[in-house]
Amino acid sequence: MGCTPNASHSPVFLLLGFSRARISPNLLFLLFLAIYLATIMGNVTLVLLISRDSRLHSPMYYLLRGLSVTDMGLSTVTLPQLLAHLVSNYPAIPAARCLAQFFFFYAFGVTDTLVISVMALDRYVAICDPLHYHSVMNRRLCARLLALSWMVSIVHTMLHVGLLLPLYWAGDAKGSVNLPHFFCDHRPLLRASCSDIHSNELAIFLEGGFLMLGPCALIVLSYVRIGATILRLPSAAGRHRAVSTCGSHLTMVGFLYGTIIWVYFQPSSQNSQEQDLVASVMYTAITPLANPFVYSLRNKDVKSALHRLLGWGKVISLPKSHFG
């Protein structure tokens, strides 16, 4: 569509994602408030346990702590604003703040996917080469991998922000642009623009697709080797421990990557706004909430650390390389 004379680089965006929801705004407010508070509480608890308890000072937990930090950032970028808009009659966000939210959301979100792929590498070394695990996956390497994840994420995000800056949006008489979403996401911004967005779409499929395929390939290759190693284990108990080590991670990999691919890597004609909204809620609210509980509730090391912190007595912990 063409841009009208009143089109602007910096309109006011109205985030109307839940304006047609069948659930009342008050109920939605309570629901998302509970999700946000549980997300922060779960991830903060996990970060404190890993930082304070010397028995959790291993590469796997170092990466898990980094994942919890990015999960808290991902939720904080989107949910507090959503809560404010649910109790407002005018859920507006200026263009500058919208692009800032876009930047931080993608910085945390892409880092989240990269850290999860690094955790697959950690599981590969732990199961396929356990004798050299602590020499290969040391804290220095983990710190470098986390730093690299952040660098790649920031460069990726800056590219897409740069491609958004030249676009125009044609607003109504008051200069407002309606976005059928609850935060400033890529697809809704591009759909609402009256400029040529072919370069943006191309960047999503090429650069964004490469950034997705690289970590996905690492995860798939790691688990192919892990599966082959598990099948060669002589005892059923050993196979069970190895499977439980990877079960939580594989669950979150499928959940996170599945929703991201659903939203961003289908042609626009095959996407509906309602489906995008549901998938976005899943990876912005539910995934950060689920991560600390999925990785920790079945993890006897973490439960033992929590018992020690709360003074509930000594609890025998499993070896540090076990998730389950």
Side-chain angles (χ1 to χ4, degrees):
M1 69 182 161
C3 291
T4 59
N6 68 337
S8 171
H9 286 301
S10 55
V12 173
F13 294 101
L14 299 181
L15 299 175
L16 305 175
F18 288 101
S19 61
R20 298 181 180 179
R22 298 178 183 178
I23 305 175
S24 71
N26 290 337
L27 187 56
L28 283 173
F29 176 86
L30 293 175
L31 175 62
F32 282 109
L33 178 62
I35 289 174
Y36 180 62
L37 293 178
T39 298
I40 297 300
M41 182 175 65
N43 283 289
V44 166
T45 301
L46 191 57
V47 169
L48 288 176
L49 288 176
I50 294 172
S51 300
R52 290 171 60 93
D53 198 303
S54 60
R55 303 186 192 188
L56 300 182
H57 291 177
S58 68
M60 182 190 75
Y61 293 111
Y62 186 83
L63 295 173
L64 187 54
R65 183 176 63 181
L67 183 67
S68 289
V69 171
T70 59
D71 282 339
M72 286 189 285
L74 187 63
S75 290
T76 301
V77 167
T78 55
L79 294 188
Q81 177 184 269
L82 171 60
L83 293 172
H85 286 175
L86 285 172
V87 296
S88 170
N89 294 323
Y90 189 62
I93 180 171
R97 209 171 85 202
C98 183
L99 288 179
Q101 184 187 51
F102 175 90
F103 175 85
F104 285 106
F105 170 75
Y106 274 86
F108 284 114
V110 174
T111 302
D112 207 56
T113 63
L114 295 177
V115 173
I116 284 181
S117 68
V118 172
M119 292 177 74
L121 177 64
D122 173 82
R123 294 299 83 209
Y124 163 75
V125 179
I127 292 176
C128 299
D129 194 11
L131 296 179
H132 297 95
Y133 173 71
H134 289 287
S135 61
V136 175
M137 293 301 297
N138 53 63
R139 289 192 61 172
R140 177 178 296 180
L141 177 62
C142 291
R144 289 176 177 175
L145 290 172
L146 288 177
L148 180 62
S149 297
W150 275 105
M151 289 175 59
V152 170
S153 175
I154 290 172
V155 170
H156 163 81
T157 305
M158 290 177 65
L159 168 66
H160 288 280
V161 170
L163 290 173
L164 285 174
L165 287 175
L167 299 184
Y168 282 91
W169 286 271
D172 56 20
K174 296 181 180 180
S176 301
V177 177
N178 294 342
L179 291 183
H181 212 51
F182 64 96
F183 68 96
C184 292
D185 201 0
H186 219 161
R187 286 289 188 187
L189 285 170
L190 293 182
R191 288 194 188 109
S193 175
C194 58
S195 300
D196 183 359
I197 60 171
H198 286 99
S199 58
N200 303 76
E201 297 279 4
L202 190 62
I204 290 175
F205 278 97
L206 294 182
E207 187 270 343
F210 177 79
L211 190 61
M212 287 291 295
L213 289 176
C216 280
L218 176 62
I219 292 170
V220 170
L221 291 175
S222 296
Y223 275 103
V224 167
R225 292 293 303 274
I226 288 171
T229 301
I230 290 174
L231 291 175
R232 292 198 297 267
L233 293 176
S235 68
R239 289 193 295 271
H240 176 74
R241 286 195 299 270
V243 170
S244 67
T245 298
C246 304
S248 300
H249 183 256
L250 276 175
T251 300
M252 300 315 299
V253 165
F255 192 75
L256 179 64
Y257 277 89
T259 54
I260 291 175
I261 291 171
W262 175 265
V263 174
Y264 297 107
F265 296 97
Q266 291 189 84
S268 298
S269 60
Q270 294 184 15
N271 274 274
S272 75
Q273 295 175 355
E274 293 78 11
Q275 290 171 333
D276 285 1
L277 193 65
V278 171
S280 297
V281 169
M282 298 298 282
Y283 71 80
T284 59
I286 306 303
T287 300
L289 169 67
N291 274 343
F293 298 102
V294 168
Y295 284 116
S296 303
L297 287 181
R298 295 174 58 249
N299 186 319
K300 295 185 179 179
D301 282 351
V302 175
K303 288 191 288 187
S304 298
L306 181 59
H307 291 170
R308 288 191 293 271
L309 180 66
L310 298 176
W312 290 352
K314 183 177 179 181
V315 180
I316 299 175
S317 62
L318 290 179
K320 290 184 179 179
S321 62
H322 292 171
F323 271 112

